[in-house]
């Protein structure tokens, strides 16, 4: 007699073993179904959280009081606007200066790097030296990169004065390079 035949004979002759196998199978199926339902509920909760977070980001207000689109989208274009590259550079300096003052900082100096007359790209860069409090740095970086026109932080150097580092207070000295694309004459 083979092993499978003897196994089948024992289960047929033992109703308790068959009932235990049946109950074990039912419990396993219920467990698998419950795990699948719990997993689906978790995924739905994550999706709802992500949607709520997205809604918060889309209506979030700036510290200055206006909506995000009103302060950070001069002209509503993704490009730095201006009839000439010089005017566009000045607009970029103004945008960066407004962002720094909005978070309570002060601009110490700025330097505009304009593209050459025959350059293939129209990338305008501004290097700004400013002072601001440490919590305001994150707000400043968000304001620069989240609004319109599309601006990018190319370099960021943060330094805390030695006397302020020892006391744990004071303003940070920040050197930031921000660039944006100028569309040129339309």
């Amino acid at each position: 007699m083979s092993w499978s035949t003897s196994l089948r004979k024992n289960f047929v002759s033992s109703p308790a073993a068959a009932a235990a196998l049946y109950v074990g199978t039912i419990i396993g199926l219920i467990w698998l179904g419950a795990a699948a339902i719990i997993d689906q509920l978790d995924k739905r909760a994550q999706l709802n959280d992500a949607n709520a977070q997205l809604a918060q980001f889309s209506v979030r207000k700036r510290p200055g009081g206006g909506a995000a689109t009103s302060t950070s989208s001069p002209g509503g274009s993704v490009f730095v606007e201006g009839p000439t590259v010089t005017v566009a550079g000045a607009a970029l300096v103004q945008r960066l200066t407004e962002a720094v003052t909005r978070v309570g900082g002060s601009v110490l100096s700025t330097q505009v790097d304009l593209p050459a007359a025959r350059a293939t790209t129209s990338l305008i860069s501004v290097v700004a030296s400013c002072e601001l409090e440490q919590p305001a740095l994150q707000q400043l970086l968000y304001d620069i990169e989240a609004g319109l026109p599309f601006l990018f932080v190319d370099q960021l150097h943060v330094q805390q004065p030695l006397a302020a580092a020892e006391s744990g207070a004071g303003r940070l000295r920040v050197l930031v390079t921000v660039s944006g694309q100028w569309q040129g004459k339309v």
Side-chain angles (χ1 to χ4, degrees), residues 118-135:
R118 298 185 188 260
T120 57
T121 66
S122 300
L123 198 64
I124 301 172
S125 295
V126 172
V127 180
S129 176
C130 55
E131 284 187 344
L132 49 96
E133 298 293 328
Q134 183 177 358

Side-chain angles (χ1 to χ4, degrees), residues 88-113:
L92 184 57
V93 169
Q94 181 180 6
R95 166 83 170 81
L96 183 58
T97 304
E98 288 173 355
V100 170
T101 55
R102 222 181 348 264
V103 296
S106 60
V107 176
L108 304 175
S109 67
T110 60
Q111 176 182 341
V112 181
D113 182 23

Side-chain angles (χ1 to χ4, degrees), residues 2 9 41 49-50 72 74 77 83 87 89 95 97 102 108 117 119 136-137 140 146 151 177 179 184:
S2 73
K9 193 176 194 183
L41 292 175
D49 289 345
S72 62
S77 174
V87 174
R95 166 83 170 81
T97 304
R102 222 181 348 264
L108 304 175
L137 180 60
L140 173 66
L151 301 178
T177 303
S179 63

Side-chain angles (χ1 to χ4, degrees), residues 1 8 15 18 52 56 70 78 81 103 111 113 118 124 128 139 149-150 152-153 156-157 159 180 186:
M1 185 176 356
R8 205 175 313 143
Q56 277 182 334
S70 69
V78 296
E81 292 185 347
V103 296
Q111 176 182 341
D113 182 23
R118 298 185 188 260
I124 301 172
Q139 292 174 353
F150 288 157
F152 304 97
V153 176
L156 177 68
H157 298 279
Q159 184 180 15
V186 181

Side-chain angles (χ1 to χ4, degrees), residues 21-45:
L21 181 64
Y22 177 75
V23 168
T25 303
I26 295 297
I27 290 174
L29 289 174
I30 290 172
W31 181 77
L32 284 174
I37 290 171
I38 289 171
D39 186 49
Q40 286 297 323
L41 292 175
D42 285 345
K43 287 182 180 180
R44 178 174 284 183

